[in-house]
């Protein structure tokens, strides 16, 4: 996993049972998309897809379409 959020600063006093980090599990990473109605006939379960996100400009991620519905 990866650290998604840090709730305290270095050197800060933290009482017992206080959340200090938020960890995100990234395997499997799921992506939910809206596909325009006119394009729905072009997608099929099992189809390989390429995704680009604003958080990683210029990077492409490959995936497999597992569900349409």
């Amino acid at each position: 996993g990866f650290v998604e959020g840090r709730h305290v600063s270095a050197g800060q006093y933290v009482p017992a049972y206080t959340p200090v980090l938020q960890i995100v599990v990234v395997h499997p990473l799921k992506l939910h998309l809206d596909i325009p109605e006119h394009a729905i006939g072009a997608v099929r379960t099992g189809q390989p897809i390429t995704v680009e996100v604003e958080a990683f400009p210029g990077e492409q991620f490959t995936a497999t379409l597992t569900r349409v519905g």
Side-chain angles (χ1 to χ4, degrees):
F2 289 93
V3 176
E4 148 72 21
R6 189 175 310 167
H7 305 294
V8 296
S9 300
Q12 181 177 348
Y13 172 76
V14 180
Y17 304 106
T18 300
V20 295
L21 298 173
Q22 181 175 351
I23 297 176
V24 176
V25 176
V26 294
H27 183 71
L29 183 62
K30 295 182 180 184
L31 178 65
H32 295 260
L33 304 171
D34 290 324
I35 299 172
E37 189 174 333
H38 70 271
I40 201 72
V43 296
R44 303 262 185 271
T45 301
Q47 174 180 349
I49 60 172
T50 302
V51 179
E52 296 180 17
V53 294
E54 290 180 7
F56 298 98
E59 280 196 62
Q60 294 186 339
F61 301 91
T62 57
T64 303
L65 186 63
T66 58
R67 181 172 172 230
V68 177

